[in-house]
Amino acid sequence: MQSAAAVNKHAPKPSTTVYNILFIIGLCHLLNDAIQSVIPAMFPVLEKSMGLTFTQLGLIAFTLNMVSSVLQPVVGWYTDKKPMPYALPAGLTCSLLGILGLAFAPSFPLILLSVFFIGLGSAVFHPEGSRVAYLAAGERRGLAQSIYQVGGNTGSSAAPLITALILVPLGQFGAIWFTIAAALAVLFLLYIARWYSAKLAFIRKTDKKKGMAKNNGRLSKGVLSALAVIVFLVFARSWYGSALSNFYTFYAIEKYHLSIAESQVYIFVFLVMGALGTFAGGPLADRFGKRNIILCSLIASAPFALLLPFAGPKTAYVLIALVGFILSSSFSVTVVYAQELVPGKIGTMSGLTVGLAFGMGAIGSVALGSLIDAFSLAAVMTGTAALPLLGILAFLLPKDQTLLDWQQ
């Protein structure tokens, strides 16, 4: 009886939103993604200190993105079958080893190996971190996922600061400072893992009275169709986001005759407003519905996206801020929608939507770069501005009430 009391103490009822767990897992997401952002931030340093070619730098980026994104659905699928709370600190330990290796790596192959470990840690963290947010959400799943995802967005946007404040003065060895961030995340995740274990024990005990096995593995035609629409919407959002974050600086330099430093301000505004939009989207979805926010996120950002290539330098700040905020408002909401679309597959759906977003972004960078080489920067920036219009397909998604009916 004592152990049952302990479980109940650590695992609150499903209707309770556990804010301390949400804020800790959000902080860990920030630390994880800040560690990931060290890698692209280090490119200028590695290019100079080790004489790496752009092809080699591309291989480093490819290794990080493919390991961290492609493995996410695989990890999520496995942990849906067999949840592993202590995989969270184990994953960040992999990242810690990777960042340590990155600080000391004397050769390109060892850098690739270090990046592989960082990508592996990230692939384990994301689906399991999203599951923790789901379990701690209670009835406020949109808000919970926003708290979790905004941590990651904030960490990702740290790359310019990491380059300027740490890697430029300290060089490759400067990466050693991020072992502190990784060690801190491991300690926090050990605490999370204890709560997660207790929560799982509580859920298993409760679910003996309610059979959940009927939802496992059976996907109806309607669910598969909705998943296909979600994948397409993630593609549209990720490719347009990739166009802005990777190539808008070059467009601003060419169109407005700015310096590199001045052009970077546009990307900073886009990323910061994107983080705010990610946070705002969850509570809005809890109030107005997930499908509505996914639809509005793309459609409402389309007019500003279409105007952006033709705007003057000052108006562009306003437009790119609005695009960043509105477009990112559906990021966390899409994850929750997919999780509710396929109940019992929390990790798989998180890995699919988040991993797919990063994977699509990586592929988009290569594809859009090729299109720019083949046509022109102006033509590609103008063409990709139409991508948010594909949000009209969100009308094909089942309404939130329909998802609830399917779960009965």
Side-chain angles (χ1 to χ4, degrees), residues 13 60 92 241 316:
K13 292 179 182 178
I60 292 171
L92 259 292

Side-chain angles (χ1 to χ4, degrees), residues 267-285:
I267 306 308
F268 179 74
V269 169
F270 177 68
L271 292 173
V272 169
M273 293 304 291
L276 292 173
T278 298
F279 182 75
L284 287 171

Side-chain angles (χ1 to χ4, degrees), residues 319-340:
L319 292 174
I320 204 166
L322 288 169
V323 169
F325 184 89
I326 299 169
L327 193 68
S328 296
S329 64
S330 65
F331 189 85
S332 59
V333 180
T334 306
V335 179
V336 179
Y337 186 92
Q339 289 172 340
E340 293 186 359

